[in-house]
Amino acid sequence: MSDGDIRAAFAAHPTFEDAGDGAYAPTTNDWDATVVVEDGAVTVTVRVPTLSASVTEREDVAPVVEDGWFETLALRLDDATNVTRAEARGDPTVERDDGDVVFEATIDARPENAGDDALAVVNYVEGTWFEGIIPGYDYREGVQDLRDRAAGNAQADQL
């Protein structure tokens, strides 16, 4: 498929906005994510905070805990492209960068599925990150807000 067809699909998708230069950003997510269309493929990049960047400044995360948390997250994110109808181009990468975990994966794109496939990958990364948050720490405001919202949703589901 042509890049123009895929870009048109992202432009028409209700949860993406044009970020310029063939890039699109989802509007429904909590962390930074971008999608770049190039050479008939879609590259999805998601940045989420590391565990130590998520906790308050009053607490320290032991290096062994941080490393184990990151290794587990990276292993779980290996499957992120399995949530799409598209074929992956190579393996995803997961790296640490100044307090962030940066996930990147490239998938072949078909215009009719490109937006939904890219959003599924973004949601998978964010959900997997959230599932890996370790109880017992005091978290920064943005992370604690997510935890509170999840707890409220769980309580509402039980009613």
Side-chain angles (χ1 to χ4, degrees):
M1 292 292 153
S2 78
D3 288 355
D5 292 338
I6 300 167
R7 288 182 181 135
F10 275 102
H13 199 282
T15 59
F16 283 92
E17 62 185 12
D18 191 332
D21 295 327
Y24 300 87
T27 59
T28 57
N29 296 83
D30 295 302
W31 304 115
D32 291 332
T34 56
V35 175
V36 175
V37 177
E38 187 174 61
D39 298 328
V42 173
T43 299
V44 179
T45 304
V46 184
R47 295 180 80 88
V48 294
T50 61
L51 182 62
S52 59
S54 300
V55 301
T56 63
E57 293 174 9
R58 297 189 315 262
E59 288 193 85
D60 289 325
V61 176
V64 68
V65 174
E66 178 78 22
D67 290 343
W69 174 86
F70 174 78
E71 289 170 11
T72 300
L73 178 65
L75 285 171
R76 293 181 71 207
L77 292 179
D78 276 345
D79 295 331
T81 57
N82 292 344
V83 298
T84 73
R85 290 174 230 145
E87 291 292 321
R89 288 193 182 179
D91 294 327
T93 61
V94 182
E95 299 174 351
R96 287 186 255 199
D97 179 36
D98 282 341
D100 285 335
V101 174
V102 181
F103 167 89
E104 187 172 282
T106 301
I107 57 175
D108 286 324
R110 291 188 313 258
E112 63 272 13
N113 300 328
D116 291 340
D117 284 344
L119 190 60
V121 171
V122 172
N123 289 338
Y124 184 92
V125 172
E126 287 191 357
T128 301
W129 173 86
F130 187 75
E131 289 173 352
I133 291 299
I134 300 172
Y137 288 100
D138 290 327
Y139 288 95
R140 294 183 187 272
E141 186 175 332
V143 175
Q144 190 58 48
D145 291 345
L146 290 171
R147 290 176 49 117
D148 292 345
R149 197 168 53 205
N153 290 341
Q155 288 176 2
D157 287 346
Q158 292 177 357
L159 297 176

